[in-house]
Amino acid sequence: MTESYILDWLNLIIRWVHVITGIAWVGASFYFVWLLNRLLPDENGDPKVAGQLWALHAGGFFHVQKRNIEPGGLPTPLHWFKWEAYWTWVSGFALLVLVYYVGAERYLIDPAVSDISASWAIALGFGVLAGGWLLYDLAWRSPLADRPGLLTILCCIALAVLAWGLCQIFSGRGAYIHVGALLGTIMVANVARVIMPSQRQLVAATERGEPQDTSLARAAGLRSLHNNYITLPVVFVMISSHYPSTYGHAQNWLVLLGLFAVGALVRHYFNIRVRQGNYKPAWMLGVALVLMGVI
């Protein structure tokens, strides 16, 4: 009884931290993508300004600029965005262990789906997170990255195969959470292994008075864009345990992929709308059709 009580409070506290840090991370991601898509040329033609915009918030006027920093020095203080991502993953992984590994017999394993032991199920869960990130990272560092459209399709096919496979081994709820945990791991690893190292190298080159390597900025920007599109599918997985009609369906892996497509299309709609300055209602019609198909 005492153990159950303590676990329940741990679950609440860690989940609260997870939601708070996740909101901060998602908010920063959405804001900066919106910002980059809204930047306009400098009204005074300053070559040091790569883009600028005016905004109104909380009764104040803000002038935001994207600057071309010359080698030799950096403005201070320079704010970095990383801890939101790190703590979202740390708290999410802690929840995964607490709910699905400590309680493997209840939430991770379904004897009607697969006769797998708790130890093997947990080992497979760890393997999915580590192996999935390694394969994703290798793919986007390979020559195939020069053909991003093709590689994106291949990654989506790989995700579909993984979702189908996990739904044949884990409970529906356990399969969903592991697909989401893999995507969340890819997101935070993009920050820790690509975006932050690239930014550190750019900062170091500037401080040494050397020209910046633009390929580093492109690599960081690409992984950041990946994170932006993955966000809404991951948010769905975070709330999916409340809706057994999704993970409990006989074709639960198709339901998952359909709702992932809805999330990615919604994100694409808002990115395109901002960048191109129009609403493209056909995109939302596509979202509605996919959603109706899933339902």
Side-chain angles (χ1 to χ4, degrees), residues 205-274:
T206 301
E207 290 176 333
R208 290 193 303 265
E210 299 173 357
Q212 295 180 350
D213 183 352
T214 55
S215 66
L216 294 172
R218 288 195 299 271
L222 177 65
R223 298 300 182 99
S224 180
L225 188 62
H226 287 180
N227 285 0
N228 184 262
Y229 277 92
I230 293 173
T231 298
L232 294 185
V234 172
V235 169
F236 161 69
V237 171
M238 289 173 64
I239 64 173
S240 65
S241 62
H242 297 284
Y243 301 95
S245 60
T246 59
Y247 64 78
H249 192 274
Q251 302 297 329
N252 48 10
W253 66 279
L254 278 176
V255 174
L256 178 66
L257 295 176
L259 292 174
F260 274 8
V262 169
L265 286 171
V266 167
R267 192 63 245 157
H268 185 65
Y269 166 72
F270 281 102
N271 289 343
I272 292 295
R273 184 186 73 168
V274 169

Side-chain angles (χ1 to χ4, degrees), residues 8 34 38 42 61 67 76 81 119-120 123 141 147 152 178 183 201 203 216 226 234-235 262 264 282:
D8 196 43
W34 177 90
R38 281 289 188 183
D42 180 58
F61 292 92
R67 305 281 300 186
T76 55
F81 292 84
S119 57
W120 276 109
R141 293 181 188 272
R147 302 179 64 184
T152 299
H178 275 84
L183 294 179
Q201 291 180 55
V203 166
L216 294 172
H226 287 180
V234 172
V235 169
V262 169

Side-chain angles (χ1 to χ4, degrees), residues 15 36 119 145 149 159-160 176 188 204 219 245 252 256-257 263 278:
R15 193 176 300 273
L36 288 170
S119 57
L159 183 66
Y176 272 35
V188 76
S245 60
N252 48 10
L256 178 66
L257 295 176
N278 56 63

Side-chain angles (χ1 to χ4, degrees), residues 154-204:
L154 293 176
C155 286
C156 289
I157 293 173
L159 183 66
V161 171
L162 176 68
W164 175 84
L166 290 181
C167 285
Q168 312 310 307
I169 300 172
F170 293 155
S171 68
R173 181 172 170 177
Y176 272 35
I177 204 68
H178 275 84
V179 175
L182 170 59
L183 294 179
T185 298
I186 287 173
M187 291 175 68
V188 76
N190 276 340
V191 174
R193 303 293 298 168
V194 179
I195 297 172
M196 292 306 298
S198 296
Q199 293 181 165
R200 290 190 188 99
Q201 291 180 55
L202 292 170
V203 166

